[in-house]
Amino acid sequence: MNHQDNDRVLRLDGRQPLSAAWVSAVVEACGRVETDGRNLVVHVFGTPDGPWPDDLTVSLVSKWERALRRLERLPAATIAVAEGDCGGLALDALLATDYRIATEATRLVLPVRDGATWPGMALYRLGRQAAGASVIRRAALFGTPVAAAEALAVHLVDEVADDPARALELAGERLAPVSGSELAIRRQLIFDASSIAFEDALGAHLAACDRALRRAAVEVAS
């Protein structure tokens, strides 16, 4: 499998079953970003067709979910480009990125197997990121595909583009100045906002403010 064209691009084919090779592809991409701090582009496409693989284990799923969590916490921006139907590992990765571009033909799909959708962490991210949306409830419970326009309306994608290559270029230019550990901290502050009380969150936010003021003072002094 050709997982990446270069060290800044990761391609994930949702038609393929989850495997140790796909876990390694995500882990290796994360390692490169953690080393050089450059933004990562994630191309996602395809959705599973057929039963769950016979060799799929909870241990492998756990490794995959940990790899996605690492992707979700990178000290650089992650930009996803989704084309066509996206399900399986393609949807998993899409929901773990910062900025998401979709084509008009894109659909987010939770395939139904053995009378139910896959109960992985994509359900958690869908519910957390678009809580209360009926379109998400139908997708999670019944496997009803989420069209690009619907995904945009409930903020699961950031833009629907006729020219995804151009949209990717513009997004890369906008996000290029944003990177480093402080980006990861801002992301975590957002994640925590829906589950942590104001009083519990205040300390982390004040600490982040203190670091920002210290950096600004250093810049002025130099």
Side-chain angles (χ1 to χ4, degrees):
M1 290 180 291
N2 180 21
H3 295 296
Q4 59 268 339
D5 293 337
N6 55 57
D7 62 357
R8 298 184 64 189
V9 178
L10 175 68
R11 296 183 182 276
L12 293 167
D13 185 351
R15 298 171 298 181
Q16 300 294 321
L18 179 60
S19 66
W22 285 115
V23 175
S24 295
V26 174
V27 169
E28 290 168 7
C30 290
R32 290 191 296 273
V33 172
E34 290 162 350
T35 298
D36 62 29
R38 296 191 297 171
N39 294 343
L40 179 68
V41 176
V42 183
H43 287 275
V44 295
F45 55 92
T47 192
D49 183 18
W52 311 128
D54 293 335
D55 58 352
L56 185 61
T57 65
V58 171
S59 176
L60 177 59
V61 174
S62 177
K63 292 176 181 177
W64 171 247
E65 297 293 359
R66 288 198 298 271
L68 291 177
R69 188 58 168 162
R70 186 172 171 184
L71 174 68
E72 203 168 33
R73 291 177 166 179
L74 286 176
T78 51
I79 308 171
V81 179
E83 299 190 57
D85 284 358
C86 289
L89 55 88
L91 178 60
D92 287 346
L94 174 71
L95 296 175
T97 56
D98 295 316
Y99 193 86
R100 304 161 193 173
I101 300 166
T103 66
E104 291 184 356
T106 296
R107 299 192 308 169
L108 310 186
V109 182
L110 285 166
V112 175
R113 300 288 184 272
D114 300 324
T117 56
W118 178 248
M121 290 299 286
L123 290 182
Y124 171 84
R125 291 187 173 93
L126 284 169
R128 187 183 183 94
Q129 296 172 19
S134 59
V135 64
I136 300 307
R137 185 175 64 255
R138 293 193 298 270
L141 296 180
F142 313 122
T144 306
V146 180
E150 294 173 317
L152 181 64
V154 296
H155 312 297
L156 290 177
V157 300
D158 295 283
E159 64 176 298
V160 177
D162 295 329
D163 185 350
R166 178 57 177 162
L168 175 59
E169 180 181 356
L170 293 174
E173 292 174 357
R174 290 195 301 271
L175 301 181
V178 183
S179 64
S181 60
E182 289 298 321
L183 169 63
I185 290 170
R186 301 299 186 278
R187 192 189 291 120
Q188 189 61 47
L189 292 174
I190 295 172
F191 287 158
D192 292 342
S194 63
S195 59
I196 297 180
F198 176 89
E199 291 76 11
D200 296 329
L202 181 59
H205 283 265
L206 290 177
C209 291
D210 182 59
R211 287 192 302 273
L213 291 173
R214 289 175 183 273
R215 286 197 311 275
V218 170
E219 291 175 1
V220 170
S222 61

